[in-house]
Amino acid sequence: MNGFFASVELLSRPDLRDRPMAVCGNPENRHGIILAKNEPAKKYGVVTAETIWQARKKCPDLVLLPPHYDKYSEFCRLINGIYQQYTDQVEPFSIDESWLDVTASQKLFGTGREIADAIRNRVKKELGLTLSAGVSFNKFFAKMGSEYKKPDATTEITRENFRELLWPLPIEEMFFVGFSTAQRLRGIGVDTIGALAETPPGVLSDLLGKQGPLLRSYALGLDESPVSLYGERSMMKSVGHGSTFRRDIASDDEILTALTALSDTVAARLSKYGLKVFGVKVDLRSPDFRDISRQKKYPSPTNVSTEIRRRAFDIIKEMRSGSSPIRQITVTAIELTDEAGETSEQLSFFGAVPDALAERDKSLDKALGLEEAMDQIRRKFGKSAVSYARVIDNDIGIDY
């Protein structure tokens, strides 16, 4: 989709269509990052993920709107509904991107390009939104094609033309190549996608590990990953949630307030997808934007928010020096396992005795029962219907 969040907002604010506007986080809570922008803002050089002050320096008249994620989720559902009328092989990649395998649909609907154009026209006519489509023989080049020309365009990348279209592009424009990877590649003279394709695998392996040869194979058009059926869930690698606070926090009480909300959100997502977590990872950002990260694996899995909070708090106490101030905390569940699967626990000869384990399990059962009751109330009356007292009316900017 083209400027998805901004495009959805403009449906109810047509007066801003020709004015530079952007969707951003709450600047009062220091969530002042540009999430999406329209074409007029893009002409001023406004880019996604930059701070509000950077964007307004480029465009002083930039109009800022808050995000409405419920709207975006609904349009995501409607868009994927249109896709599914052409194929059942629809694999969402993000809230505004999906891969479609239309190999078996071409006898009914025409070539890949014709199907892409038909979908673009329908989305524009029925939903009032525009998208850019990439048509190719694999998922990687299809993604690159969708980024090649915007807005409202179809780009076809074939086995015959991918070298001509993609290889001259700067290495930063390659899918999966972030800033740090691009800098390292440029350090050995790999400035373009074509140069990456022609670099010996051993050199790339020494520089980037196993990621290096994998990126080279993508540049050579060797991606063979299939498109999943819609609704077919692949095993998640992690589930996380973070928050930047209205002011820096330092006390244990403030940290526990933040962790209560963050862990509750993570636990709710784990429960929704039927997952439990063996490991917890915590990322801290200081007021001067220095990041530190620690993670720890535990012998028993959980999806109880109070247990995730306890584990996260223990990690923070181990990683933090004194009462140093914190600007941002992110809690991530790692080492995931299916809730219904076999999740045996390794017991230690030197660990807790059976009575202590029984008390622990009883306590966790009570917490889980409470959280299941909260989930039922929220499903019926909305997320804000019930919360933890510690988080209500907090003054650190936790949106909850």
Side-chain angles (χ1 to χ4, degrees):
M1 302 303 298
N2 301 142
F4 183 50
F5 291 1
S7 297
V8 171
E9 297 296 337
L10 287 172
L11 293 175
S12 58
R13 290 295 306 273
D15 57 304
L16 298 178
R17 192 166 300 279
D18 297 323
R19 297 174 58 187
M21 62 79 65
V23 178
C24 69
N26 186 351
E28 292 183 3
N29 288 354
R30 302 197 296 182
H31 302 167
I33 301 296
I34 301 297
L35 302 175
K37 70 283 181 189
N38 66 351
E39 285 300 312
K42 188 176 180 180
K43 291 178 181 178
Y44 280 89
V46 176
V47 297
T48 301
E50 71 178 344
T51 60
I52 288 175
W53 71 266
Q54 289 173 318
R56 279 194 160 149
K57 190 174 180 181
K58 300 173 182 175
C59 181
D61 296 326
L62 184 67
V63 179
L64 299 175
L65 297 179
H68 296 91
Y69 295 106
D70 55 339
K71 286 185 180 180
Y72 311 147
S73 295
E74 175 60 15
F75 274 94
C76 174
R77 184 186 68 80
L78 294 171
I79 293 164
N80 279 285
I82 292 176
Y83 297 161
Q84 290 174 76
Q85 295 177 39
Y86 294 86
T87 175
D88 60 350
Q89 289 182 270
V90 177
E91 181 182 341
F93 176 66
S94 66
I95 194 169
D96 68 333
E97 294 178 286
S98 294
W99 280 295
L100 284 68
D101 186 337
V102 297
T103 304
S105 306
Q106 295 185 49
K107 290 183 179 179
L108 293 174
F109 303 111
T111 66
R113 174 181 281 277
E114 289 170 339
I115 293 173
D117 287 339
I119 289 174
R120 282 197 305 110
N121 291 331
R122 282 193 59 186
V123 170
K124 186 189 300 184
K125 181 179 179 180
E126 297 174 24
L127 303 179
L129 303 174
T130 62
L131 64 83
S132 292
V135 179
S136 193
F137 56 93
N138 65 41
K139 290 165 65 174
F140 184 86
F141 281 169
K143 166 64 176 172
M144 293 291 294
S146 71
E147 300 286 342
Y148 191 84
K149 186 178 180 182
K150 292 185 175 182
D152 196 19
T154 297
T155 299
E156 186 170 8
I157 297 176
T158 67
R159 298 181 188 278
E160 292 73 36
N161 72 5
F162 76 85
R163 296 173 183 81
E164 175 187 351
L165 291 181
L166 300 182
W167 282 18
L169 296 178
I171 192 63
E172 292 85 354
E173 294 192 27
M174 182 170 170
F175 187 38
F176 290 139
V177 174
F179 176 80
S180 177
T181 299
Q183 291 297 103
R184 297 177 70 181
L185 288 169
R186 283 189 174 274
I188 62 168
V190 178
D191 299 327
T192 65
I193 295 176
L196 173 67
E198 295 170 348
T199 302
V203 173
L204 295 172
S205 182
D206 291 341
L207 183 70
L208 301 173
K210 62 182 181 181
Q211 181 194 20
L214 181 62
L215 290 174
R216 178 180 180 272
S217 71
Y218 289 153
L220 288 167
L222 302 179
D223 174 33
E224 296 181 355
S225 55
V227 176
S228 302
L229 294 171
Y230 190 78
E232 185 180 87
R233 178 173 65 85
S234 58
M235 185 64 177
M236 293 181 177
K237 302 294 185 182
S238 64
V239 175
H241 191 59
S243 183
T244 300
F245 311 117
R246 181 180 292 123
R247 57 176 175 79
D248 299 333
I249 66 174
S251 70
D252 285 353
D253 189 64
E254 292 170 329
I255 293 172
L256 283 170
T257 296
L259 291 179
T260 297
L262 296 175
S263 300
D264 186 35
T265 300
V266 170
R269 293 175 183 170
L270 290 170
S271 179
K272 176 181 177 181
Y273 294 112
L275 298 171
K276 285 189 175 183
V277 49
F278 278 102
V280 173
K281 176 173 173 282
V282 178
D283 295 277
L284 301 183
R285 173 166 290 180
S286 67
D288 58 354
F289 293 90
R290 287 184 298 170
D291 297 323
I292 55 174
S293 177
R294 297 288 187 278
Q295 64 185 49
K296 192 171 182 179
K297 185 176 180 180
Y298 296 83
S300 58
T302 186
N303 57 8
V304 178
S305 70
T306 52
E307 181 67 8
I308 294 172
R309 180 187 68 181
R310 182 189 67 78
R311 295 178 180 185
F313 186 62
D314 288 345
I315 293 172
I316 289 177
K317 286 193 295 185
E318 292 177 4
M319 68 193 291
R320 187 164 168 251
S321 58
S323 58
S324 53
I326 300 171
R327 174 186 172 90
Q328 181 186 76
I329 297 177
T330 299
V331 176
T332 305
I334 58 175
E335 303 283 345
L336 306 185
T337 184
D338 280 315
E339 188 175 33
E342 294 295 327
T343 56
S344 59
E345 177 178 350
Q346 179 68 46
L347 301 180
S348 168
F349 284 113
F350 308 102
V353 296
D355 286 346
L357 290 172
E359 285 300 315
R360 182 205 65 179
D361 291 342
K362 187 185 298 182
S363 175
L364 289 177
D365 286 343
K366 288 181 180 179
L368 181 57
L370 173 63
E371 292 180 17
E372 288 176 344
M374 291 173 65
D375 285 343
Q376 291 177 9
I377 293 171
R378 287 168 173 169
R379 282 195 293 269
K380 187 171 183 179
F381 299 106
K383 183 179 178 182
S384 60
V386 60
S387 182
Y388 291 94
R390 173 184 286 276
V391 180
I392 295 174
D393 294 330
N394 71 85
D395 67 344
I396 63 175
I398 292 287
D399 298 325
Y400 192 64

